[in-house]
């Protein structure tokens, strides 16, 4: 087997296939700024892992400056060593990408360093050409998995230099905290990166083109998130139409019209462009084996990630569905097991989403607005963090857990959380929904006291109108 791409989907697919006895090679061309070849793709190098490291470091800084005094801890003359903070982030990236290299060696996976593209078929096998490290070489395999991920979408006519105008990559490595920061795009990445630099001292304005905030999130969570972000100082402007973006002597100038059609100008020291991502299918030469992308640039696949070409699969950000690392991992495992003759399955409705802001936002299943639009009869339960003893103890009382169940059968249809540690709490809901649990099932099982997880139980009980601590 050959896997093209060494990000979360690709390297997990390679490892699972190797566990199942396959001879596996993985093609990856990523290099660090110093020119060192790296595994892990966008996620481990300039995405999920480094951004969460900076989010954690910036939160520690903000806690020291603003919140430790609430605990009776006096801290004076707090300083910010941004170079050390960035260095810590780079150290984590180095450790985790090095860990993937170790796993490749452990599982006897061959790492083909360079750019991979299709080179046709030969005697029932698929040919893949790898170039970039010396002379190009062609390899053949019975099965090929495309796992080349995605890249940041850029604004037409707005060059990204990752100094003044940055995408997610440049925004992780500023050499100083800007005094003013503009973010175009109020989605997951824009909110997370905007939160990092707000905590480190920037005045942040988020320009969102949609008329509603976090339109894919349950309405109740989106409203609470907007309220909390406003309190923190994030200025979120909705319904804008971006015009000319110009680099100036003082930074960057963004012309836009607001939701009333009035012309506005925003001047900032730096700009982060975060308007989504596009699949990495450039340079794959899909036509060499008779494949082509759809109108949005994705590789068409069936429910098992098989393309229209026998023995060629595609997973992760290059195919339909959410652009989430854990979704890519699940697909990588599924495809490796299908090739092995097993019959795995992914319930895409049970894939969780997380936004790592403060508070965190996490959900799985359907929103209340989706269920009402479909005509489904539902019942809901909600419980606030402010009534939880553990939340009080750690000083994280913002937010709530909301559960939605079928009005007749009580089957859980969606769980939505805005709180500290929502990324961890949501896992219980994923397990419950995978097992087609009822809200009652969560409500009757013991949860440790005191813990944030008790709010999950109380929200489940609230569906039955019998929350114990409200």
């Amino acid at each position: 087997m050959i896997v093209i791409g060494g990000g979360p989907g690709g390297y997990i697919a390679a490892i699972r296939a190797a566990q199942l006895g396959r001879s596996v090679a993985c093609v990856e061309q990523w290099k660090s700024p110093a020119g060192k070849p790296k595994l892990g793709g966008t996620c481990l190098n300039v995405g999920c892992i480094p951004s969460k490291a900076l989010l954690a470091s910036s939160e520690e800084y903000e806690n020291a400056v603003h919140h430790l005094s609430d605990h009776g801890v006096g801290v004076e003359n707090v300083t910010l060593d941004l170079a050390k903070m960035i260095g810590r982030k780079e150290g984590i990236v180095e450790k985790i990408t090095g860990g993937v290299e170790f796993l490749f060696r452990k599982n006897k996976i061959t790492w083909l360093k360079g750019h991979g593209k299709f080179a046709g078929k030969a005697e029932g096998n698929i040919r893949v050409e790898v170039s970039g490290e010396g002379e190009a070489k062609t390899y053949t395999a019975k099965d090929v998995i495309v796992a080349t991920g995605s890249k940041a979408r850029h604004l037409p006519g707005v060059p990204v230099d990752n100094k003044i105008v940055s995408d997610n990559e440049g925004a992780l490595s500023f050499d100083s905290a800007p005094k003013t920061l503009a973010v175009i795009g109020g989605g997951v990445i824009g909110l997370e990166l905007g939160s990092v630099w707000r905590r480190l001292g920037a005045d942040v304005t988020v320009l969102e083109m949609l008329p509603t905030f976090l339109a894919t999130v349950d309405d109740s969570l989106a409203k609470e998130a907007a309220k909390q972000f406003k309190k923190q100082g994030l200025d979120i402007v909705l319904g804008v139409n971006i015009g000319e973006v110009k680099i100036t002597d003082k930074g960057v100038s963004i012309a836009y019209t607001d939701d009333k059609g009035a012309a506005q100008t925003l001047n900032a020291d730096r700009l982060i462009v975060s308007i989504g991502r596009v699949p990495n299918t450039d340079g794959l030469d899909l036509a060499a084996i008779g494949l082509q992308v759809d109108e949005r640039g994705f590789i068409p696949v069936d429910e098992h990630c098989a393309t229209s070409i026998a023995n060629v699969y595609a997973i992760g950000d290059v195919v339909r569905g959410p652009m989430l690392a854990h979704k890519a991992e699940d697909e990588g495992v599924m495809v490796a097991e299908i090739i092995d003759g097993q019959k795995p399955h992914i319930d895409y409705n049970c894939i969780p989403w997380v936004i790592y802001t403060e508070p965190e936002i996490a959900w799985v299943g359907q929103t209340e607005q989706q269920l009402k639009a479909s005509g489904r009869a539902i019942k809901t339960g909600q419980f606030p963090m402010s009534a939880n003893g553990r939340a009080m103890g750690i000083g994280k009382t913002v937010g709530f857990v909301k559960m939605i169940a079928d009005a007749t059968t009580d089957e859980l249809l969606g769980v939505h959380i805005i709180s500290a540690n929502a990324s961890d709490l949501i896992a219980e809901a994923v397990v419950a929904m995978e097992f087609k649990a009822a809200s009652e099932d969560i409500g009757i099982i013991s949860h440790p006291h005191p813990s944030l997880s008790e709010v999950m139980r109380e929200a489940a009980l609230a569906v039955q109108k019998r929350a114990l601590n409200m």
Side-chain angles (χ1 to χ4, degrees), residues 63-91:
N63 285 338
V65 174
H66 298 292
H67 303 304
L68 283 182
S69 59
D70 295 340
H71 294 265
V73 180
V75 180
E76 296 181 358
N77 302 318
V78 177
T79 61
L80 171 63
D81 186 339
L82 183 59
K84 188 171 184 178
M85 188 179 287
I86 297 293
R88 174 183 179 271
K89 177 257 298 183
E90 295 297 339

Side-chain angles (χ1 to χ4, degrees), residues 349 365-380 404-414 433 436-437:
N349 187 54
Q366 294 178 283
T367 64
E368 184 173 350
Q369 58 264 33
Q370 286 173 327
L371 289 163
K372 286 182 174 177
S374 71
R376 187 118 183 217
I378 60 172
K379 51 187 178 181
T380 65
I404 309 173
D406 185 272
T408 303
T409 66
D410 194 36
E411 180 188 348
L412 273 176
L413 303 175
M433 288 184 60
K436 304 299 181 186

